[in-house]
Amino acid sequence: MFAFGAGKLIAVPQFDSQGTLIANPTPVLLGAMQDVSLDISVDLKMLYAAKRFPIAVGQGKGKIELKAKYADINGGVIGSLFYGKLPTAGIKGLVSDFAASVPAASTYTITVAPPSAGTFVSDAGVWDAATGVQLTRVASAPATGQYSVSVAGVYTFALADASRAVLLNYEYSAVSTTAQTFNLTNDLMGFTPSFSILMRQQTPDGKTLTVKFNRAVSGKLALPFKSDDFTVSDFEASVFADNADNIGWMCLQ
């Protein structure tokens, strides 16, 4: 068969970061696949006698490594596959450069209204919309070029900054039944989240190559964000035997 294209790759989480079997795992698709490479290698052990070339050769340790590049950012790749964390429903987000103006009179305050009827969590900075100069946060009684902020998301400015155009940045949380949040924690070394891998490749004439690896772990994940191009993430995984000493299977049809 002659393969064409990057094919499809789906990983199914098996064990979380604490080594606990996941009862109902949600499969993770590495979407907008750019390329996948599967490297299978073994050490060759050679027996020599008096002559130059070996008289016997045996296979020693082997390894199977997978490297993939994909463009569709999926929280499940980072959260479930790499960190071994189960998602929780809800939103944790950042409002960036929200444009507002300091009131011309009264209390000179701006009260933020986070998206999705969310809750203000913490301040992430205020900038002057016209000059790009960052304002300085203080505990209370701000002077010109300063501001204070309460736990409820009320930004207070100085009288001298009335009518000033500003850009607000802040962290927030919100209730959601569709969004997923993965809480990343500093776990003990040793426990390693694992997953199975299904790969499918199709030829121009309709034939398919399907490969499954029963258990794999990821040792590298990169999200190279760029200012003038799409982000193509790098995902790497190493395959090892399951509890029944099986690696997986390969099918050509």
Side-chain angles (χ1 to χ4, degrees):
M1 62 176 285
F2 298 97
F4 184 86
K8 191 170 188 176
L9 192 153
I10 297 174
V12 182
Q14 292 180 333
F15 292 87
D16 65 16
S17 61
Q18 301 300 315
T20 303
L21 179 67
I22 301 173
N24 298 291
T26 300
V28 178
L29 170 68
L30 274 67
M33 187 69 67
Q34 302 299 296
D35 62 70
V36 180
S37 66
L38 184 61
D39 300 319
I40 304 173
S41 63
V42 295
D43 294 337
L44 294 179
K45 303 299 182 178
M46 301 183 183
L47 176 64
Y48 291 85
K51 296 183 180 180
R52 180 173 300 165
F53 296 100
I55 57 175
V57 178
Q59 290 187 349
K61 296 186 297 294
K63 62 180 179 179
I64 302 174
E65 295 183 328
L66 180 144
K67 298 179 181 179
K69 292 182 180 292
Y70 65 101
D72 186 10
I73 297 176
N74 186 335
V77 177
I78 305 172
S80 295
L81 303 185
F82 192 83
Y83 281 100
K85 301 297 181 181
L86 296 178
T88 57
I91 298 173
K92 292 185 178 182
L94 171 69
V95 172
S96 178
D97 294 337
F98 177 77
S101 295
V102 179
S106 186
T107 57
Y108 312 105
T109 61
I110 300 173
T111 302
V112 299
S116 303
T119 302
F120 176 85
V121 174
S122 66
D123 170 52
V126 178
W127 279 259
D128 186 294
T131 65
V133 174
Q134 184 175 5
L135 278 67
T136 301
R137 180 178 173 179
V138 295
S140 61
T144 303
Q146 298 178 340
Y147 71 97
S148 64
V149 59
S150 72
V151 294
V154 179
Y155 285 79
T156 301
F157 299 87
L159 168 63
D161 285 329
S163 300
R164 186 173 193 171
V166 292
L167 300 174
L168 306 179
N169 296 264
Y170 62 89
E171 179 188 354
Y172 74 98
S173 64
V175 176
S176 173
T177 58
T178 56
Q180 293 183 329
T181 296
F182 296 87
N183 292 311
L184 309 181
T185 57
N186 189 17
D187 301 317
L188 292 173
M189 291 187 289
F191 293 119
T192 306
S194 64
F195 48 89
S196 63
I197 295 175
L198 275 166
M199 298 173 56
R200 182 175 184 272
Q201 178 62 269
Q202 189 163 353
T203 67
D205 58 358
K207 296 181 180 179
T208 59
L209 167 65
T210 307
V211 180
K212 180 179 182 180
F213 295 115
N214 294 343
R215 294 189 71 177
V217 297
S218 177
K220 181 180 178 181
L221 177 65
L223 282 76
F225 299 111
K226 303 177 182 180
S227 63
D228 64 346
D229 203 351
F230 292 100
T231 296
V232 178
S233 302
D234 294 309
F235 178 78
E236 296 184 9
S238 296
V239 175
F240 61 104
D242 62 15
N243 294 336
D245 214 23
N246 293 318
I247 300 296
W249 50 260
M250 179 183 295
C251 178
L252 287 165
Q253 64 183 47

